[in-house]
């Protein structure tokens, strides 16, 4: 009997300018049985996306298939006529891409895009396809299934788009689904929601799937079989239990080691207190900021409200929260890129001008910014030596040979070879570019460095190396870091203090070991519970928890009154939490929780056995959020 | 979205106002005293002063400007100094001729160029694409007077199929009119189409690198449908802007073509006005040209806003 799907000795290659082939995928073979989910894991450059596209006999421009077979129901798709290959795509094999936001055509309604493949391939009539799409929206727990099809992609949230892409893939009833990092770009809370929906639909539809990811914890939740790839070759493959619990190949072990631990108290290191001074480096007091014109200290769209944050000398402050909570806005306000509407910012006890334009050169020098995407932050036409040399000269007036000496010292500091000074950014890998990006900020000799999601775009192994570097930099230079991330485990392993932002307000802040230990703010609790564990069955267990029941169904909404977390909070008090601003409680010195519940109440609920609170009143009807015009 | 459209219209009005100031200042700065030119030999200091007083030319420039702007707004374009006819009557016939030529060129060239652009984008690298790319590139780089002269040489002088000039008077039959207009039409279509074809092609091919196009390929959508349904609607914004600029050129920038074919259009009237120092006429023509640009650009912006679902359907 032939397998549903089989890749046999697949080879994919690119070509150099002179025509010599560069192998990208070097003879990969694996099988997928009906109803089975096979995970392809590996870091970027391992060829996993390229292989996943080959299932549809497709390769990106510049690549070619020199050999091997890709068989669906025993027939090789690579040798088919282009017409037959096209009939296969979106019909027998369907694809889900990493970024739904980029994958949906902005000019076409969701309904047309979802049903297009099924109608074009003649599987369903437009009417049948519309009905099936609505049924899938129901199954994927999307809001307002009947009206969703008439909306445009920009009118729904990222998590919803990701699920809509699943609907788009499933509408023609494919035999094989190919999912390429479908949750990597999502917040942990959204990731759970999407994973849950994927798993349910794959089970109900009975289709087989290839799941491409670099995240082992996610793989443990969805896959039956794992294929570990490195540099276009299979390192190891086997059933999920075996690989997760008993990896044999050294590369698999390395991947396992890079899996982020569940955030908990004591995961960081004790801080060496020698750098600490009495006056904090940066202090933000009663700051409110947003976008649009400012009237009476209130911006047209308020993003941050009454923020109080202290960044002590040589400390790392982690700022966490889902996207849309105002993390980047906070960094932009501190840097002066976005002048605050109200409140003060102090640098070493001296008040800073709200607007960057009015700040003195040495004030600018002391606060530096590191952007998420090193690719776009580094000028592609400048040599690394120039990129690092300019701030040295501009802020510190060091020129000529001394400047070159400084550039070399910076490169050594971020553990790059000194020869890199005569290279262009495009000649460096992603991790190396991020190191240069950090070195550029340090070139100014700053006191505070604002890091906005600097590890989010990197693979787990590369990103953990960057974190190690950041720790060393903090110890060596005494610089304070504001580390913005949506990744609680990274922040937990590295920060000294954590600020939890929700919908523009600080809901909890304090030393890392206090924040990551009970009593938690309900939002912190939700975030911690949402970080996937490297354990088969974790997803099902987590879905049983009470904070999940209401917490993951909704997204971030900025409210004018009350506690913004109200409609996602399992312990919210109707009539209080949605009306009054939450009081700030201090369970231990310098640890603050903004919640209407007392610390005792929170602790009591925390200690109670984990179960869904039946009969809990959901604050708003399902789907209410999406219907509301913003 | 309404707010954006209204905003565009306000910006357009503001632009027109700035233009009116500049037109007025520039014509006022032109050398030569109007009164002296008009009165010519018969000028005496008294008659010059009387003329200036009568026309308000002795007032400060600011007053003169607002007087001019006020009458412009009420449709009174003033009186031509050559012959004393009202400028509106001078312009009316010429404006009709110019608009007639521009409208016919637009009706033919816009759909044809967009279609040819799409065709080139559908089959990039094939002979269709190469012919179109080569053809449009050569036509863009050849000056229009060369095309016009060349056509006169071939079609009028050598083959004698068409008249060499298009000096229409208004009482020709349709066939005569068409024969007269044929060569200016062909010249202008060639000039404006080349740009629009290239822009359409480039716009489509630019969008073809987007992830949503790859997704459409992976859904098994045919290339023709990908271009017409998935790519084209995301390219409308830049395309309509190029179309608007080309149409505005048809109204104001065609003086060379009008001169070569002796076509009685508005641009030629303006040049004549400059030669005879007929400043009110020059001002009126300048305002019409600028107005055309502003209106067309506003229309293009509004079309681009309407074509963008993000702006059409806010969250």
């Amino acid at each position: 009997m032939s397998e549903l799907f089989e890749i046999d000795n697949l080879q994919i290659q690119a070509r150099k300018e002179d025509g010599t082939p560069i192998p990208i995928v070097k003879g990969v073979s694996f099988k997928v049985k009906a109803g089975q989910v096979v995970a392809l894991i590996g870091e970027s450059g391992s060829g996993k996306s390229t292989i996943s596209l080959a299932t549809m006999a497709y390769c990106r421009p510049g690549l070619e298939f020199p050999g091997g077979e890709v068989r669906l129901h025993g027939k090789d798709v690579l040798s088919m006529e282009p017409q037959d290959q096209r009939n296969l795509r979106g019909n027998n094999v369907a694809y889900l891409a990493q970024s739904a936001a980029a994958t949906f055509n902005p000019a076409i309604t969701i309904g047309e895009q979802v049903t297009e493949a099924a109608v074009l391939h003649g599987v369903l009539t437009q009417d049948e396809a519309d009905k099936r799409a609505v049924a899938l929206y129901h199954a994927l727990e999307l809001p307002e299934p009947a009206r969703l099809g008439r909306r445009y992609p920009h009118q729904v949230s990222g998590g919803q788009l990701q699920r809509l892409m699943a609907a788009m893939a499933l509408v023609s009833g494919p035999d094989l689904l190919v999912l390429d990092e479908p949750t990597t770009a999502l917040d942990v809370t959204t990731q759970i929601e999407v994973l849950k929906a994927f798993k349910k639909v794959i089970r109900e539809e009975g289709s087989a799937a290839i799941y491409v990811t670099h995240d082992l914890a996610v793989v443990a939740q969805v896959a039956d079989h794992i294929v570990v790839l490195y540099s276009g070759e299979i390192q190891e493959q086997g059933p999920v239990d075996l690989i997760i619990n008993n990896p044999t190949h050294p590369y698999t072990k390395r991947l396992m080691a890079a899996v982020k631990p569940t955030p908990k108290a004591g995961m960081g290191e004790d801080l060496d207190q020698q750098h600490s001074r009495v006056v904090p480096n940066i202090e933000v007091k009663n700051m409110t900021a947003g976008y649009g014109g400012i009237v009476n200290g209130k911006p047209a769209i308020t993003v941050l409200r009454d923020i109080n944050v202290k960044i002590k000398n040589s400390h790392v402050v982690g700022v966490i929260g889902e996207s849309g909570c105002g993390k980047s806005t906070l960094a932009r306000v501190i840097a002066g890129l976005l002048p605050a509407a109200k409140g003060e910012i102090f640098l070493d006890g001296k008040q800073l001008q709200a607007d960057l334009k009015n700040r003195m050169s040495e004030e600018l020098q002391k606060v530096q910014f590191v952007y998420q995407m090193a690719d776009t932050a580094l000028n592609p036409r400048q040599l690394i030596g120039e990129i690092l040399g300019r701030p040295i000269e501009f802020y510190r007036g060091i020129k000529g040979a001394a400047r070159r000496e400084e550039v070399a010292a910076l490169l050594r500091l971020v553990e790059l070879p000194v020869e890199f000074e005569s290279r262009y950014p495009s000649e460096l890998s992603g991790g190396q570019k991020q190191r240069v990006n950090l070195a550029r900020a340090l070139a100014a000799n700053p006191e505070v460095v604002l890091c906005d999601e600097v590890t989010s775009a990197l693979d787990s192994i590369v990103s953990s190396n960057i974190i190690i570097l950041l720790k060393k930099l903090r110890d060596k230079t005494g610089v304070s870091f504001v580390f913005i991330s949506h990744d609680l485990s990274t922040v937990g392993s590295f920060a000294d203090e954590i600020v939890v932002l929700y919908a523009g307000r600080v809901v909890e802040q304090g030393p890392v070991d206090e924040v990551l230990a009970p009593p938690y703010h309900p939002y912190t609790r939700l975030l911690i519970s949402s970080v996937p564990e490297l354990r088969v069955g974790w997803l099902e267990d987590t879905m049983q928890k009470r904070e999940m029941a209401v917490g993951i169904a909704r997204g971030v909404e900025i409210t004018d009154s009350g506690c913004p977390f109200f409609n996602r909070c399992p312990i919210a008090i109707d009539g209080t939490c949605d009306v009054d601003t939450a009081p700030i409680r201090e369970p231990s010195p310098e640890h603050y929780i903004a919640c209407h519940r007392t610390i005792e109440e929170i602790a009591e609920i925390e200690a109670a056995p984990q179960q869904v609170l039946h009969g809990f009143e959901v604050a708003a009807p399902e789907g209410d959020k999406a219907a509301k015009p913003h | 979205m309404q707010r954006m459209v209204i905003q565009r219209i306000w910006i357009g009005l503001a632009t027109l106002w700035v233009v009116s100031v500049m037109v007025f200042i520039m014509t006022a700065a032109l050398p030569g005293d109007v009164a002296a030119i008009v009165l010519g030999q018969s000028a005496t200091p008294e008659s010059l002063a009387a003329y200036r007083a009568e026309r308000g030319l002795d007032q400060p420039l600011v007053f003169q400007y607002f007087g001019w702007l006020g009458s412009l707004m009420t449709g009174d374009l003033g009186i031509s100094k050559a012959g004393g006819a009202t400028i509106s009557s001078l312009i009316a016939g010429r404006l009709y001729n110019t608009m007639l030529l521009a409208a016919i060129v637009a009706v033919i060239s816009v759909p044809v160029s967009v279609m040819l652009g799409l065709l080139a984008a559908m089959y990039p690298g094939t002979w269709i694409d190469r012919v179109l790319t080569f053809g449009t590139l050569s036509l863009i780089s050849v000056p229009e007077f060369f095309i016009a002269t060349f056509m006169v040489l071939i079609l009028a002088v050598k083959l004698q199929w068409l008249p060499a000039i298009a000096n229409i008077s208004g009482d020709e039959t349709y066939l005569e009119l068409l024969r007269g207009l044929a060569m200016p039409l062909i010249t202008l279509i060639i000039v404006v189409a080349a740009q629009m074809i290239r822009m359409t092609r480039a716009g489509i091919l630019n969008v073809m690198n987007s992830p949503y196009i790859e997704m459409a390929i992976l859904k098994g959508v045919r290339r023709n449908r990908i271009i017409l349904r998935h790519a084209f609607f995301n390219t409308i914004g830049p395309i309509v802007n190029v179309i608007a600029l080309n149409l505005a050129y048809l109204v104001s920038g065609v003086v060379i073509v009008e001169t070569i074919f002796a076509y009685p259009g508005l641009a030629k009237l303006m040049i004549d006005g400059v030669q005879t120092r007929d400043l009110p006429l020059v001002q009126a023509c300048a305002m019409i040209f600028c107005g055309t640009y502003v209106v067309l650009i506003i229309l293009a912006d509004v079309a681009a806003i309407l074509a963008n679902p993000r702006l059409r359907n806010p969250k």
Side-chain angles (χ1 to χ4, degrees), chain A residues 282-304:
Chain A
I282 290 263
E283 187 168 8
V284 178
K285 272 189 185 165
N286 303 322
M287 185 268 287
T288 294
Y291 298 93
I294 297 166
V295 182
N296 298 332
K298 255 196 88 171
I301 303 158
T302 307
V303 178
L304 295 172

Short mmCIF file of all heavy atoms in Angstrom, two decimals, chain A residues 282-304:
data_model
loop_
_atom_site.label_atom_id
_atom_site.label_comp_id
_atom_site.label_asym_id
_atom_site.label_seq_id
_atom_site.Cartn_x
_atom_site.Cartn_y
_atom_site.Cartn_z
N ILE A 282 16.79 56.22 34.93
CA ILE A 282 15.62 56.83 34.27
C ILE A 282 14.44 56.67 35.20
O ILE A 282 14.25 55.62 35.81
CB ILE A 282 15.31 56.09 32.95
CG1 ILE A 282 16.39 56.36 31.90
CG2 ILE A 282 13.93 56.47 32.43
CD1 ILE A 282 16.07 57.44 30.92
N GLU A 283 13.70 57.72 35.34
CA GLU A 283 12.47 57.62 36.11
C GLU A 283 11.36 58.27 35.31
O GLU A 283 11.46 59.42 34.88
CB GLU A 283 12.65 58.32 37.46
CG GLU A 283 11.46 58.09 38.35
CD GLU A 283 11.71 58.53 39.78
OE1 GLU A 283 12.76 59.15 40.05
OE2 GLU A 283 10.84 58.27 40.62
N VAL A 284 10.29 57.51 35.10
CA VAL A 284 9.13 58.02 34.38
C VAL A 284 8.03 58.24 35.42
O VAL A 284 7.72 57.34 36.19
CB VAL A 284 8.67 57.00 33.31
CG1 VAL A 284 7.43 57.51 32.60
CG2 VAL A 284 9.78 56.72 32.33
N LYS A 285 7.49 59.45 35.46
CA LYS A 285 6.51 59.77 36.50
C LYS A 285 5.18 60.20 35.88
O LYS A 285 5.14 61.14 35.09
CB LYS A 285 7.02 60.92 37.37
CG LYS A 285 7.88 60.45 38.55
CD LYS A 285 8.15 61.62 39.49
CE LYS A 285 9.09 61.19 40.59
NZ LYS A 285 9.64 62.35 41.29
N ASN A 286 4.11 59.53 36.26
CA ASN A 286 2.74 59.88 35.88
C ASN A 286 2.62 60.22 34.39
O ASN A 286 2.00 61.19 34.03
CB ASN A 286 2.24 61.08 36.68
CG ASN A 286 2.30 60.82 38.16
OD1 ASN A 286 2.02 59.70 38.59
ND2 ASN A 286 2.69 61.82 38.93
N MET A 287 3.25 59.39 33.58
CA MET A 287 3.33 59.74 32.16
C MET A 287 2.12 59.20 31.39
O MET A 287 1.71 58.06 31.57
CB MET A 287 4.63 59.19 31.59
CG MET A 287 4.90 59.56 30.16
SD MET A 287 4.28 58.34 29.05
CE MET A 287 5.48 57.04 29.33
N THR A 288 1.55 60.07 30.56
CA THR A 288 0.48 59.68 29.66
C THR A 288 0.92 60.05 28.24
O THR A 288 1.48 61.12 28.05
CB THR A 288 -0.82 60.44 30.01
OG1 THR A 288 -1.25 60.01 31.29
CG2 THR A 288 -1.93 60.15 29.01
N ALA A 289 0.72 59.15 27.32
CA ALA A 289 1.16 59.44 25.96
C ALA A 289 0.26 58.72 24.97
O ALA A 289 -0.42 57.75 25.31
CB ALA A 289 2.60 58.99 25.74
N GLY A 290 0.25 59.22 23.76
CA GLY A 290 -0.56 58.60 22.72
C GLY A 290 -0.31 59.30 21.41
O GLY A 290 0.67 60.01 21.25
N TYR A 291 -1.23 59.10 20.48
CA TYR A 291 -1.05 59.66 19.15
C TYR A 291 -2.16 60.67 18.85
O TYR A 291 -3.20 60.67 19.47
CB TYR A 291 -1.02 58.55 18.12
CG TYR A 291 0.13 57.62 18.36
CD1 TYR A 291 -0.02 56.47 19.13
CD2 TYR A 291 1.40 57.93 17.89
CE1 TYR A 291 1.06 55.63 19.39
CE2 TYR A 291 2.48 57.10 18.14
CZ TYR A 291 2.30 55.95 18.89
OH TYR A 291 3.36 55.14 19.14
N GLY A 292 -1.89 61.54 17.91
CA GLY A 292 -2.86 62.57 17.55
C GLY A 292 -2.62 63.83 18.37
O GLY A 292 -1.76 63.87 19.26
N GLY A 293 -3.36 64.86 18.07
CA GLY A 293 -3.18 66.15 18.73
C GLY A 293 -3.43 66.07 20.23
O GLY A 293 -4.25 65.28 20.70
N ILE A 294 -2.69 66.88 20.99
CA ILE A 294 -2.82 66.86 22.45
C ILE A 294 -3.69 68.03 22.90
O ILE A 294 -3.40 69.18 22.58
CB ILE A 294 -1.44 66.94 23.12
CG1 ILE A 294 -0.62 65.70 22.74
CG2 ILE A 294 -1.57 67.05 24.63
CD1 ILE A 294 0.84 65.81 23.04
N VAL A 295 -4.78 67.73 23.61
CA VAL A 295 -5.63 68.77 24.17
C VAL A 295 -5.69 68.57 25.69
O VAL A 295 -6.04 67.48 26.15
CB VAL A 295 -7.06 68.70 23.58
CG1 VAL A 295 -7.91 69.84 24.14
CG2 VAL A 295 -7.01 68.77 22.07
N ASN A 296 -5.34 69.56 26.45
CA ASN A 296 -5.34 69.50 27.92
C ASN A 296 -4.58 68.27 28.44
O ASN A 296 -5.05 67.57 29.32
CB ASN A 296 -6.77 69.43 28.47
CG ASN A 296 -7.54 70.68 28.11
OD1 ASN A 296 -6.94 71.75 27.94
ND2 ASN A 296 -8.85 70.55 27.99
N GLY A 297 -3.43 68.01 27.88
CA GLY A 297 -2.63 66.88 28.36
C GLY A 297 -3.22 65.52 28.02
O GLY A 297 -2.83 64.51 28.57
N LYS A 298 -4.20 65.50 27.09
CA LYS A 298 -4.77 64.22 26.67
C LYS A 298 -4.63 64.09 25.17
O LYS A 298 -5.17 64.90 24.42
CB LYS A 298 -6.26 64.16 27.04
CG LYS A 298 -6.55 63.28 28.25
CD LYS A 298 -8.02 62.95 28.33
CE LYS A 298 -8.31 61.70 27.52
NZ LYS A 298 -9.61 61.15 27.67
N PRO A 299 -3.90 63.08 24.69
CA PRO A 299 -3.79 62.91 23.24
C PRO A 299 -5.10 62.37 22.65
O PRO A 299 -5.93 61.83 23.39
CB PRO A 299 -2.67 61.90 23.08
CG PRO A 299 -2.60 61.18 24.38
CD PRO A 299 -3.16 62.06 25.43
N ALA A 300 -5.27 62.53 21.34
CA ALA A 300 -6.49 62.07 20.67
C ALA A 300 -6.71 60.58 20.89
O ALA A 300 -7.81 60.14 21.20
CB ALA A 300 -6.41 62.38 19.18
N ILE A 301 -5.64 59.81 20.74
CA ILE A 301 -5.72 58.38 21.03
C ILE A 301 -4.73 58.10 22.15
O ILE A 301 -3.53 58.16 21.95
CB ILE A 301 -5.36 57.52 19.80
CG1 ILE A 301 -6.29 57.89 18.64
CG2 ILE A 301 -5.45 56.05 20.12
CD1 ILE A 301 -5.73 57.55 17.29
N THR A 302 -5.23 57.82 23.32
CA THR A 302 -4.34 57.56 24.44
C THR A 302 -3.87 56.12 24.38
O THR A 302 -4.69 55.21 24.25
CB THR A 302 -5.07 57.80 25.77
OG1 THR A 302 -5.63 59.10 25.72
CG2 THR A 302 -4.13 57.70 26.94
N VAL A 303 -2.56 55.94 24.45
CA VAL A 303 -2.03 54.58 24.47
C VAL A 303 -1.52 54.24 25.87
O VAL A 303 -1.92 53.24 26.46
CB VAL A 303 -0.90 54.42 23.43
CG1 VAL A 303 -0.32 53.03 23.50
CG2 VAL A 303 -1.42 54.71 22.04
N LEU A 304 -0.69 55.10 26.43
CA LEU A 304 -0.15 54.86 27.77
C LEU A 304 -0.83 55.80 28.77
O LEU A 304 -1.05 56.96 28.48
CB LEU A 304 1.35 55.10 27.78
CG LEU A 304 2.18 54.17 26.93
CD1 LEU A 304 3.62 54.64 26.86
CD2 LEU A 304 2.13 52.76 27.47
#
